[in-house]
Amino acid sequence: MKASNNIGSYFAVIIAVSIWAVSYVFTAQALKDFRPLSIITLRISLAVLFMFIYAKATKQLQPMEKKDRRFFILTGMIQPFIYFVSETYGLQLLSPTLASVMLSTMPLFAPFFAYAFLREKFTWNNIVGIVVSLCGVMLLIFEKEQLVVKPLGIVLVIICITTAILYNVALRKVPSHYNNVSIVFYVHLSSLLFFYPTWCLVDLPHIHEMTFSWTAFGSVLVLALFASTTAYILYAGVVRTIGITRAAAFSNLQPGFTALFVWIMFGESLPWIKWVGISIVILGLFVSQISFKRKTSL
């Protein structure tokens, strides 16, 4: 599949990744007033509402077939539920940029899952490009010449990586007759079967301890509308078009976008080594997307 035939998909995935990169900052802002599980439960609930209104208005909501219910429930449990609970709690231990960087290692493992579950072929230039891009990512996680990590944060990131890859696999397995809006709507709606009971057990007893601010609520609103609705719908179409390996490779752009956003909006320093890292990430990304006339597929 040639990149020239997928300009729309590449444009869509860049928008989605950009939104997710910025979302780490808004999540950190919301955590100042809301508990982690409350943030994600409210975020997904609002996203479901937004998608329902949009799908009804545009007549894109397709009925869910009975035989597909288990599939959507399982996918909803994997992501958003397990993924976002791990990510949101992980942000309490890691900075927004570092969390984004750690999660960007996902493309390194995605091709092997794609081949194992779907027999989706990948080429050596895909792997080389991902490794080169990962080298650039590593430059972004050094602070004062030391790698700043926390054990629990690492565990949460491993969980996030695993569930993110499995979610990609699920998107490739979803019946082709469903449109992207319906897929994301039903997956998010199914995840609420897990979010609501968990929220009642974990956060409801502490609801009197939480403070409310319009700034925090506004951050959750932004996360729901853009990160959990717009980006998810765009990404679902991309994975179904260009495959898991190529789509996942764009995740390496997240730490660079996060660092640039924090630099522009909050004036956080962005030393030269991070600029070099961002450049290497982009170079590796281009390599991973190149199609050669003669190539050996795994």
Side-chain angles (χ1 to χ4, degrees), residues 135-146 269-281:
C135 290
V137 167
M138 293 303 293
L139 292 178
L140 293 168
I141 64 178
F142 281 94
E143 297 180 9
K144 296 181 180 179
E145 301 180 354
Q146 292 183 349
S269 62
L270 194 61
W272 67 269
I273 193 170
K274 290 192 176 183
W275 285 108
V276 172
I278 292 172
S279 300
I280 294 175
V281 167

mmCIF file of all heavy atoms in Angstrom, residues 135-146 269-281:
data_model
loop_
_atom_site.group_PDB
_atom_site.id
_atom_site.type_symbol
_atom_site.label_atom_id
_atom_site.label_comp_id
_atom_site.label_asym_id
_atom_site.label_seq_id
_atom_site.Cartn_x
_atom_site.Cartn_y
_atom_site.Cartn_z
ATOM 1 N N CYS A 135 14.655 5.903 19.052
ATOM 2 C CA CYS A 135 15.906 6.521 19.508
ATOM 3 C C CYS A 135 15.698 8.011 19.755
ATOM 4 O O CYS A 135 16.218 8.587 20.724
ATOM 5 C CB CYS A 135 17.014 6.305 18.478
ATOM 6 S SG CYS A 135 17.588 4.597 18.341
ATOM 7 N N GLY A 136 14.941 8.645 18.863
ATOM 8 C CA GLY A 136 14.618 10.055 19.058
ATOM 9 C C GLY A 136 13.770 10.272 20.294
ATOM 10 O O GLY A 136 13.968 11.237 21.046
ATOM 11 N N VAL A 137 12.842 9.340 20.522
ATOM 12 C CA VAL A 137 11.991 9.423 21.716
ATOM 13 C C VAL A 137 12.834 9.359 22.981
ATOM 14 O O VAL A 137 12.582 10.080 23.948
ATOM 15 C CB VAL A 137 10.948 8.282 21.706
ATOM 16 C CG1 VAL A 137 10.271 8.152 23.067
ATOM 17 C CG2 VAL A 137 9.893 8.530 20.638
ATOM 18 N N MET A 138 13.843 8.498 22.987
ATOM 19 C CA MET A 138 14.677 8.338 24.168
ATOM 20 C C MET A 138 15.401 9.631 24.531
ATOM 21 O O MET A 138 15.639 9.919 25.707
ATOM 22 C CB MET A 138 15.688 7.214 23.950
ATOM 23 C CG MET A 138 15.067 5.829 23.834
ATOM 24 S SD MET A 138 14.062 5.386 25.273
ATOM 25 C CE MET A 138 15.332 5.278 26.533
ATOM 26 N N LEU A 139 15.756 10.421 23.526
ATOM 27 C CA LEU A 139 16.413 11.700 23.809
ATOM 28 C C LEU A 139 15.487 12.650 24.554
ATOM 29 O O LEU A 139 15.939 13.544 25.269
ATOM 30 C CB LEU A 139 16.869 12.363 22.500
ATOM 31 C CG LEU A 139 17.997 11.666 21.733
ATOM 32 C CD1 LEU A 139 18.289 12.427 20.447
ATOM 33 C CD2 LEU A 139 19.256 11.579 22.592
ATOM 34 N N LEU A 140 14.188 12.441 24.398
ATOM 35 C CA LEU A 140 13.214 13.334 25.024
ATOM 36 C C LEU A 140 12.954 12.995 26.494
ATOM 37 O O LEU A 140 12.344 13.785 27.214
ATOM 38 C CB LEU A 140 11.889 13.285 24.254
ATOM 39 C CG LEU A 140 11.916 13.864 22.839
ATOM 40 C CD1 LEU A 140 10.643 13.488 22.105
ATOM 41 C CD2 LEU A 140 12.062 15.375 22.884
ATOM 42 N N ILE A 141 13.397 11.816 26.944
ATOM 43 C CA ILE A 141 13.078 11.429 28.313
ATOM 44 C C ILE A 141 14.244 11.632 29.279
ATOM 45 O O ILE A 141 14.152 11.301 30.452
ATOM 46 C CB ILE A 141 12.591 9.962 28.399
ATOM 47 C CG1 ILE A 141 13.696 8.993 27.971
ATOM 48 C CG2 ILE A 141 11.361 9.759 27.557
ATOM 49 C CD1 ILE A 141 13.287 7.544 28.085
ATOM 50 N N PHE A 142 15.325 12.182 28.777
ATOM 51 C CA PHE A 142 16.445 12.486 29.655
ATOM 52 C C PHE A 142 16.288 13.883 30.243
ATOM 53 O O PHE A 142 16.076 14.843 29.515
ATOM 54 C CB PHE A 142 17.777 12.383 28.906
ATOM 55 C CG PHE A 142 18.251 10.986 28.734
ATOM 56 C CD1 PHE A 142 17.960 10.283 27.573
ATOM 57 C CD2 PHE A 142 18.968 10.352 29.737
ATOM 58 C CE1 PHE A 142 18.386 8.979 27.417
ATOM 59 C CE2 PHE A 142 19.401 9.050 29.590
ATOM 60 C CZ PHE A 142 19.107 8.357 28.422
ATOM 61 N N GLU A 143 16.382 13.978 31.544
ATOM 62 C CA GLU A 143 16.330 15.260 32.237
ATOM 63 C C GLU A 143 17.596 15.385 33.088
ATOM 64 O O GLU A 143 17.834 14.575 33.974
ATOM 65 C CB GLU A 143 15.087 15.364 33.123
ATOM 66 C CG GLU A 143 13.788 15.316 32.330
ATOM 67 C CD GLU A 143 12.573 15.410 33.236
ATOM 68 O OE1 GLU A 143 12.746 15.682 34.437
ATOM 69 O OE2 GLU A 143 11.459 15.209 32.733
ATOM 70 N N LYS A 144 18.410 16.365 32.747
ATOM 71 C CA LYS A 144 19.679 16.577 33.449
ATOM 72 C C LYS A 144 20.545 15.328 33.387
ATOM 73 O O LYS A 144 21.125 14.888 34.380
ATOM 74 C CB LYS A 144 19.429 16.984 34.913
ATOM 75 C CG LYS A 144 18.705 18.313 35.053
ATOM 76 C CD LYS A 144 18.504 18.679 36.509
ATOM 77 C CE LYS A 144 17.784 20.006 36.645
ATOM 78 N NZ LYS A 144 17.549 20.385 38.066
ATOM 79 N N GLU A 145 20.580 14.720 32.182
ATOM 80 C CA GLU A 145 21.403 13.566 31.874
ATOM 81 C C GLU A 145 21.020 12.323 32.665
ATOM 82 O O GLU A 145 21.769 11.372 32.752
ATOM 83 C CB GLU A 145 22.896 13.877 32.098
ATOM 84 C CG GLU A 145 23.394 15.042 31.251
ATOM 85 C CD GLU A 145 24.853 15.315 31.486
ATOM 86 O OE1 GLU A 145 25.431 14.661 32.387
ATOM 87 O OE2 GLU A 145 25.437 16.147 30.792
ATOM 88 N N GLN A 146 19.841 12.289 33.217
ATOM 89 C CA GLN A 146 19.371 11.110 33.943
ATOM 90 C C GLN A 146 17.974 10.742 33.453
ATOM 91 O O GLN A 146 17.179 11.608 33.108
ATOM 92 C CB GLN A 146 19.326 11.354 35.451
ATOM 93 C CG GLN A 146 20.710 11.507 36.075
ATOM 94 C CD GLN A 146 20.615 11.669 37.579
ATOM 95 O OE1 GLN A 146 19.535 11.860 38.135
ATOM 96 N NE2 GLN A 146 21.746 11.613 38.236
ATOM 97 N N SER A 269 10.981 25.122 29.174
ATOM 98 C CA SER A 269 12.187 25.089 28.349
ATOM 99 C C SER A 269 12.211 23.861 27.441
ATOM 100 O O SER A 269 11.771 22.774 27.816
ATOM 101 C CB SER A 269 13.435 25.094 29.234
ATOM 102 O OG SER A 269 13.474 23.942 30.060
ATOM 103 N N LEU A 270 12.739 24.053 26.252
ATOM 104 C CA LEU A 270 12.864 22.970 25.295
ATOM 105 C C LEU A 270 14.298 22.996 24.752
ATOM 106 O O LEU A 270 14.581 23.620 23.729
ATOM 107 C CB LEU A 270 11.855 23.144 24.154
ATOM 108 C CG LEU A 270 11.620 21.936 23.240
ATOM 109 C CD1 LEU A 270 11.086 20.766 24.056
ATOM 110 C CD2 LEU A 270 10.659 22.290 22.128
ATOM 111 N N PRO A 271 15.239 22.349 25.456
ATOM 112 C CA PRO A 271 16.654 22.398 25.074
ATOM 113 C C PRO A 271 16.919 21.762 23.717
ATOM 114 O O PRO A 271 16.090 21.028 23.179
ATOM 115 C CB PRO A 271 17.340 21.620 26.203
ATOM 116 C CG PRO A 271 16.282 20.746 26.768
ATOM 117 C CD PRO A 271 15.003 21.510 26.642
ATOM 118 N N TRP A 272 18.110 22.009 23.209
ATOM 119 C CA TRP A 272 18.456 21.565 21.857
ATOM 120 C C TRP A 272 18.376 20.056 21.691
ATOM 121 O O TRP A 272 18.012 19.560 20.617
ATOM 122 C CB TRP A 272 19.860 22.053 21.491
ATOM 123 C CG TRP A 272 20.971 21.429 22.293
ATOM 124 C CD1 TRP A 272 21.514 21.880 23.443
ATOM 125 C CD2 TRP A 272 21.650 20.203 21.981
ATOM 126 N NE1 TRP A 272 22.489 21.035 23.892
ATOM 127 C CE2 TRP A 272 22.604 19.994 23.001
ATOM 128 C CE3 TRP A 272 21.563 19.278 20.937
ATOM 129 C CZ2 TRP A 272 23.442 18.893 23.014
ATOM 130 C CZ3 TRP A 272 22.405 18.178 20.950
ATOM 131 C CH2 TRP A 272 23.334 17.991 21.981
ATOM 132 N N ILE A 273 18.692 19.310 22.765
ATOM 133 C CA ILE A 273 18.674 17.850 22.634
ATOM 134 C C ILE A 273 17.264 17.333 22.364
ATOM 135 O O ILE A 273 17.063 16.323 21.686
ATOM 136 C CB ILE A 273 19.271 17.180 23.898
ATOM 137 C CG1 ILE A 273 19.528 15.696 23.609
ATOM 138 C CG2 ILE A 273 18.344 17.352 25.106
ATOM 139 C CD1 ILE A 273 20.337 15.007 24.685
ATOM 140 N N LYS A 274 16.259 18.052 22.867
ATOM 141 C CA LYS A 274 14.879 17.640 22.600
ATOM 142 C C LYS A 274 14.483 17.975 21.166
ATOM 143 O O LYS A 274 13.710 17.242 20.545
ATOM 144 C CB LYS A 274 13.935 18.295 23.601
ATOM 145 C CG LYS A 274 14.088 17.741 25.013
ATOM 146 C CD LYS A 274 12.966 18.184 25.933
ATOM 147 C CE LYS A 274 13.105 17.526 27.301
ATOM 148 N NZ LYS A 274 11.999 17.874 28.210
ATOM 149 N N TRP A 275 15.020 19.079 20.638
ATOM 150 C CA TRP A 275 14.768 19.396 19.231
ATOM 151 C C TRP A 275 15.384 18.314 18.340
ATOM 152 O O TRP A 275 14.780 17.903 17.338
ATOM 153 C CB TRP A 275 15.359 20.757 18.876
ATOM 154 C CG TRP A 275 14.572 21.925 19.401
ATOM 155 C CD1 TRP A 275 14.913 22.764 20.410
ATOM 156 C CD2 TRP A 275 13.303 22.382 18.923
ATOM 157 N NE1 TRP A 275 13.941 23.727 20.610
ATOM 158 C CE2 TRP A 275 12.947 23.512 19.708
ATOM 159 C CE3 TRP A 275 12.438 21.956 17.923
ATOM 160 C CZ2 TRP A 275 11.748 24.203 19.508
ATOM 161 C CZ3 TRP A 275 11.253 22.641 17.723
ATOM 162 C CH2 TRP A 275 10.917 23.754 18.505
ATOM 163 N N VAL A 276 16.568 17.842 18.717
ATOM 164 C CA VAL A 276 17.219 16.765 17.968
ATOM 165 C C VAL A 276 16.371 15.499 18.047
ATOM 166 O O VAL A 276 16.167 14.796 17.047
ATOM 167 C CB VAL A 276 18.639 16.487 18.510
ATOM 168 C CG1 VAL A 276 19.229 15.242 17.847
ATOM 169 C CG2 VAL A 276 19.538 17.688 18.275
ATOM 170 N N GLY A 277 15.876 15.204 19.244
ATOM 171 C CA GLY A 277 15.036 14.031 19.433
ATOM 172 C C GLY A 277 13.781 14.082 18.577
ATOM 173 O O GLY A 277 13.398 13.089 17.946
ATOM 174 N N ILE A 278 13.118 15.233 18.539
ATOM 175 C CA ILE A 278 11.911 15.399 17.725
ATOM 176 C C ILE A 278 12.231 15.177 16.250
ATOM 177 O O ILE A 278 11.477 14.528 15.518
ATOM 178 C CB ILE A 278 11.305 16.803 17.946
ATOM 179 C CG1 ILE A 278 10.744 16.911 19.375
ATOM 180 C CG2 ILE A 278 10.200 17.079 16.928
ATOM 181 C CD1 ILE A 278 10.300 18.309 19.750
ATOM 182 N N SER A 279 13.373 15.700 15.799
ATOM 183 C CA SER A 279 13.783 15.551 14.399
ATOM 184 C C SER A 279 14.025 14.083 14.046
ATOM 185 O O SER A 279 13.625 13.610 12.972
ATOM 186 C CB SER A 279 15.057 16.360 14.132
ATOM 187 O OG SER A 279 14.842 17.740 14.383
ATOM 188 N N ILE A 280 14.657 13.356 14.965
ATOM 189 C CA ILE A 280 14.926 11.931 14.726
ATOM 190 C C ILE A 280 13.622 11.135 14.698
ATOM 191 O O ILE A 280 13.460 10.215 13.888
ATOM 192 C CB ILE A 280 15.880 11.378 15.804
ATOM 193 C CG1 ILE A 280 17.258 12.035 15.673
ATOM 194 C CG2 ILE A 280 16.009 9.854 15.686
ATOM 195 C CD1 ILE A 280 18.235 11.637 16.756
ATOM 196 N N VAL A 281 12.687 11.485 15.565
ATOM 197 C CA VAL A 281 11.383 10.824 15.577
ATOM 198 C C VAL A 281 10.705 10.975 14.222
ATOM 199 O O VAL A 281 10.175 10.010 13.658
ATOM 200 C CB VAL A 281 10.480 11.414 16.679
ATOM 201 C CG1 VAL A 281 9.040 10.955 16.479
ATOM 202 C CG2 VAL A 281 10.969 10.971 18.055
#
